[in-house]
């Protein structure tokens, strides 16, 4: 009986390895990840100091490396597009195995019966974001920000639960909603909206630029987001349980080796440059 169980387990693992798993991912994040990986592989990359790096790209690597360390080899077929607002529904319905972007715990736990939630990748108290504006407007907008955002307009997405709640509590003059990050960046870059909340990166001064947009961080102001972030796996997907077990095992190894903190620091997401900046918190 023991031999039969072992044989069935081996057969199950081989079947899992043979399956191609569709994964939805933001097109810009996937393309940047390919540039940063260059000749490196998910298993070998150890340097995230590339100027195009950002939090999402670190997590693109972390998740895949964790699964491999946990002993699970999956073939991913990436479907590119704007999926930020749709991925949670796909996960909850069992149509998406795993999210390559971490989710806030408060958002994930609303679906605890249908989602496995990993150990914290970004722990509570570690997440600070910047307020980004058009280079042409940044000084003027900074002068309007005192105890809150009542003198400026902001753009975000309701699907980014913690961002939206935090910004709402800071009482902006206007809070616009948009699901596409690049559209947000273009609106801010053109001065149609004053500012948006974005993670820090490793460029100095902090900035993001792309086709038809450039936004820079308002120097001296940071916004603490009081929640932890986690990978989530669909409980309803046929490979959900095996994927979650492998993911958890791999995360523990990455945490113990210091790779998680090291990667976020190299990327600039954990940045010593903002230690002395004023934290803008709801009163």
């Amino acid at each position: 009986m023991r031999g039969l169980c072992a044989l069935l387990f081996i057969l199950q693992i081989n079947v899992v390895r043979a399956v191609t798993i569709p994964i939805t991912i933001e097109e810009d994040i996937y393309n940047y990840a390919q540039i940063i990986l260059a000749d490196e592989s998910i298993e070998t990359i150890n340097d995230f100091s590339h100027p195009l790096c950002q939090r999402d790209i670190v997590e693109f690597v972390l998740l895949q490396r964790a699964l491999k360390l946990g002993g699970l080899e999956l073939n991913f077929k990436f479907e590119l597009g704007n999926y930020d607002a749709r991925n949670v529904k796909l996960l909850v319905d069992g149509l998406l195995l795993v999210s390559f972007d971490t989710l806030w715990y408060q958002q994930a736990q609303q679906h605890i019966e249908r989602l496995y939630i990993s150990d914290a990748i970004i722990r509570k108290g570690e997440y600070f974001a910047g307020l980004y504006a058009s280079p042409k407007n940044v000084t003027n907008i900074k002068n309007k920000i005192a105890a809150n955002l009542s003198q400026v307009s902001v753009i975000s997405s309701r699907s980014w639960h913690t961002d939206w709640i935090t910004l709402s509590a800071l009482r902006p003059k206007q809070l616009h909603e948009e699901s596409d990050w690049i559209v947000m960046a273009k609106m801010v870059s053109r001065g149609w909206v004053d500012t948006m909340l974005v993670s820090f990166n490793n460029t100095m001064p902090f900035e993001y630029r792309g086709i038809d947009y450039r936004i820079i961080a308002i120097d001296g102001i940071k916004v603490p987001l009081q929640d932890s972030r986690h990978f989530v796996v669909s409980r309803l997907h046929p490979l959900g349980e095996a994927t979650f077990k492998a993911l958890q095992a791999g995360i523990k190894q990455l945490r113990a080796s210091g790779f998680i903190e090291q990667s976020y620091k190299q990327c600039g997401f954990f940045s010593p440059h903002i230690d002395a900046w004023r934290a803008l918190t709801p009163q």
Side-chain angles (χ1 to χ4, degrees), residues 95-167:
L95 301 176
L96 180 65
L97 172 60
V98 60
S99 173
F100 268 58
D101 187 11
T102 55
L103 269 64
W104 292 111
Y105 180 77
Q106 292 180 32
Q107 181 183 16
Q109 63 87 28
Q110 295 175 15
H111 307 285
I112 190 65
E113 293 182 356
R114 295 194 172 199
L115 297 180
Y116 294 108
I117 304 174
S118 78
D119 292 342
I121 305 301
I122 301 172
R123 295 167 293 197
K124 188 172 183 178
E126 290 183 322
Y127 199 119
F128 290 90
L131 289 167
Y132 284 69
S134 166
K136 297 178 181 179
N137 300 333
V138 66
T139 301
N140 181 48
I141 293 170
K142 179 179 180 179
N143 292 335
K144 293 181 179 180
I145 299 174
N148 57 34
L149 300 174
S150 61
Q151 299 301 311
V152 299
S153 59
V154 185
I155 191 164
S156 187
S157 170
R158 290 182 188 272
S159 64
W160 304 344
H161 181 77
T162 299
D163 298 50
W164 189 267
I165 294 298
T166 300
L167 289 170

